[in-house]
Amino acid sequence: MRTQSSAIDETGIAVSTPGAPEPHVSVNRRPGTLQAALGVTAFSLTFPATAWGLEGFGPWSLVAVRSALAAVIAGGCLLALRVPVPSRRHWAGLAVVAAGVVLGFPLLTTLALQTSTTAHAAVVVGLLPLTTALLSALRTGARPSRMFWGAALAGAAAVIAFTVQQSGGALSSADAYLFGALLICAAGYTEGGRLARTMPGWQVIGWALVLCLPLSVPGALVALSYEPVHPTAHSVAGLLWVAAGSQFLGLVVWYRGMAAIGIPKASQLQLAQPLLTLVWSVLLLGEQLTPAAPLTAAAVLICIALTQRARG
């Protein structure tokens, strides 16, 4: 598919079309940027909502039930709209999305949040944009510009410094879970962004969720029978949000945004996610922010602006 200013090649990376008038770039990419930003906003609530969910559910129960509920929502939408089953060539990619985004990242971060604060866990999402861009480049052979990488590294460094300072500079036993979640989620994002070029983004995550049903439903039944459950208003609200908001609706707009503006540039919008998470943590969990927050927010916004202007 060709546009006047840019196109998305088969790898899912935005590439320039020679001789095209520049003003059309921002017009064509604006909806994709907005969709990716909405996804980031939804994801920023995931850690606080997970902390709420853990008040009444065990970690394995929370992850399995959220996956099963999200799959029911997605499957219902797929059935209602009579969406055809993806072709065989797409199932390997959908399996990567399922392993990384549907199961791996939620499970590892939920296990980490049993002993880690949301501020410390935000280190994961601080590193996720850079890791996603790196894996995307390795997967597709794309070579983003030096300006892009410089801004990405600077933004990641600012976020890491801020989140480590928030946690007192100490490394917890949850770090192995967090870094494992970082790698597996970046792989899922990369493959999901590539698939979102050939099918709508909501169908990418929808089919990935449905693919996990044979694991999530039995897993939920087993986990609920072994882990104590004490449902409260907070825990139920947290469960519903991570299932419907984080696991389905957020990923729908996220994958649509990545398909529109390219995987590396969309991933850099996530540099704002740790700061948003900390804001929600203050409002919902009563955590405290340091005076470094406004300075870090300004640095991150500058880096986001630079990565959005840099040619991929």
Side-chain angles (χ1 to χ4, degrees):
M1 177 178 177
R2 298 183 63 186
T3 67
Q4 291 181 322
S5 60
S6 66
I8 307 294
D9 66 11
E10 67 278 2
T11 66
I13 304 297
V15 294
S16 300
T17 301
E22 191 67 24
H24 289 281
V25 174
S26 60
V27 174
N28 290 338
R29 289 185 175 180
R30 193 171 300 156
T33 301
L34 176 60
Q35 289 169 339
L38 288 173
V40 169
T41 303
F43 300 153
S44 69
L45 280 160
T46 300
F47 286 171
T50 299
W52 270 9
L54 287 172
E55 293 179 9
F57 298 91
W60 294 89
S61 299
L62 183 62
V63 172
V65 172
R66 73 179 268 185
S67 177
L69 288 177
V72 169
I73 297 172
C77 293
L78 292 169
L79 284 174
L81 296 175
R82 298 182 180 180
V83 176
V85 176
S87 62
R88 184 178 299 178
R89 63 190 177 92
H90 294 318
W91 283 105
L94 289 171
V96 174
V97 176
V101 178
V102 176
L103 296 178
F105 186 79
L107 176 60
L108 292 174
T109 53
T110 299
L111 292 173
L113 284 171
Q114 291 185 103
T115 56
S116 173
T117 65
T118 56
H120 188 78
V123 172
V124 174
V125 289
L127 291 173
L128 188 54
L130 182 60
T131 308
T132 302
L134 178 59
L135 289 184
S136 173
L138 294 174
R139 172 73 171 83
T140 65
R143 294 184 179 181
S145 66
R146 290 182 180 179
M147 176 182 173
F148 177 91
W149 285 116
L153 287 169
V159 170
I160 292 170
F162 177 66
T163 51
V164 169
Q165 186 272 336
Q166 284 286 294
S167 64
L171 296 179
S172 71
S173 60
D175 286 329
Y177 290 134
L178 294 174
F179 285 111
L182 166 70
L183 293 174
I184 198 170
C185 187
Y189 279 172
T190 299
E191 199 64 23
R194 187 185 66 82
L195 288 172
R197 288 201 63 255
T198 58
M199 66 178 75
W202 75 272
Q203 292 182 24
V204 173
I205 186 58
W207 287 114
L209 285 163
V210 170
L211 186 63
C212 290
L213 268 175
L215 292 175
S216 61
V217 171
L221 294 175
V222 172
L224 288 171
S225 66
Y226 280 93
E227 292 181 332
V229 177
H230 306 288
T232 63
H234 273 183
S235 62
V236 172
L239 171 61
L240 292 177
W241 177 257
V242 293
S246 302
Q247 194 85 68
F248 183 61
L249 297 177
L251 285 166
V252 167
V253 292
W254 173 242
Y255 282 138
R256 286 177 63 90
M258 281 202 294
I261 65 176
I263 297 171
K265 289 189 177 181
S267 70
Q268 300 315 305
L269 292 174
Q270 280 196 306
L271 288 169
Q273 187 174 325
L275 302 180
L276 289 173
T277 296
L278 290 170
V279 170
W280 296 125
S281 297
V282 170
L283 297 177
L284 301 177
L285 303 176
E287 294 186 4
Q288 300 275 335
L289 288 182
T290 67
L295 294 177
T296 308
V300 167
L301 289 176
I302 291 172
C303 292
I304 291 173
L306 288 175
T307 57
Q308 293 302 297
R309 292 178 63 88
R311 292 185 180 275

